[in-house]
Amino acid sequence: MTTSYDKNISQARSNESQKVVDAFNALDTDAKLAWFYLVYKKMGDSVTPAAPAATDPELAPLLLGKYFDLSDDEQLEIMRDIVNRKDTEYSRAYGAIKENNQLLVWYAWAVAMGDKVVDLPDTYQPSQAINDLLSQTEGLDFDEQISVFRTIAGELGYTDIKPIETQAQTGKTPSL
């Protein structure tokens, strides 16, 4: 897959949505995973990919197939690797798909939590930072929420694909 966008450029549109992205980035790994789960649990279907027709589950067979057969410890390690952008097989598979499909992966995992996917411990209590972030997220309008989810999802996973340099960066004009 080639890409012509820079994953480091935020899609978050407003100051409020950028603050949510920044607050997410300030969380530790497990808090980020808890936020994903709680967002999907609390906000349900409104968090599914904004354009369901733009998703393609076949693009992520490793993440939406084989993943479900792994042990809870293996699943948790894969989630942590994706959040930490480690260079692993699953993190590369995640980093190679577009944001709508990345959101689909998190949605599928959240729906299957406690069944086919490792669940939060029964005694888990979200931190104040997570609760504040959930409130901030809920306070955004739908379009801002989706831009936040796409921004966050798109920043995770591993990819070594670099954006295509512009003419201004290279000083060269395209040849025919």
Side-chain angles (χ1 to χ4, degrees):
M1 179 187 110
T2 58
T3 183
S4 60
Y5 69 94
D6 185 346
K7 287 186 119 176
N8 296 319
I9 297 174
S10 176
Q11 292 185 35
R13 299 175 188 180
S14 68
N15 286 339
E16 292 80 25
S17 56
Q18 187 58 52
K19 285 178 188 174
V20 172
V21 171
D22 293 343
F24 174 85
N25 288 331
L27 297 174
D28 68 34
T29 301
D30 288 341
K32 289 176 181 178
L33 293 176
W35 178 84
F36 265 114
Y37 174 73
L38 294 169
V39 160
Y40 279 104
K41 183 176 178 184
K42 248 185 145 170
M43 302 170 85
D45 293 334
S46 68
V47 181
T48 57
T55 63
D56 185 358
E58 273 81 58
L59 288 177
L62 193 65
L63 300 163
L64 296 176
K66 184 179 172 189
Y67 177 85
F68 294 111
D69 298 328
L70 301 173
S71 72
D72 287 357
D73 289 340
E74 291 170 315
Q75 289 177 347
L76 183 57
E77 189 62 31
I78 287 166
M79 287 180 182
R80 288 174 173 155
D81 288 347
I82 289 170
V83 165
N84 291 321
R85 301 173 185 96
K86 287 191 177 176
D87 185 0
T88 65
E89 178 185 16
Y90 281 88
S91 192
R92 279 180 174 268
Y94 178 90
I97 57 178
K98 295 264 190 200
E99 288 92 346
N100 280 345
N101 286 311
Q102 290 169 334
L103 290 175
L104 178 66
V105 166
W106 288 109
Y107 175 75
W109 289 353
V111 167
M113 281 183 111
D115 182 21
K116 293 181 180 181
V117 174
V118 61
D119 203 353
L120 285 172
D122 290 336
T123 58
Y124 178 78
Q125 292 295 317
S127 68
Q128 189 62 46
I130 292 172
N131 286 329
D132 291 347
L133 185 55
L134 287 169
S135 294
Q136 285 178 288
T137 305
E138 288 177 306
L140 299 173
D141 69 33
F142 178 76
D143 288 340
E144 288 179 313
Q145 287 175 351
I146 294 302
S147 73
V148 164
F149 301 141
R150 282 190 180 131
T151 298
I152 289 171
E155 291 176 351
L156 305 180
Y158 181 87
T159 183
D160 54 9
I161 297 172
K162 305 293 182 230
I164 298 169
E165 290 184 329
T166 64
Q167 180 179 340
Q169 290 169 314
T170 65
K172 299 177 184 174
T173 58
S175 58
L176 298 176

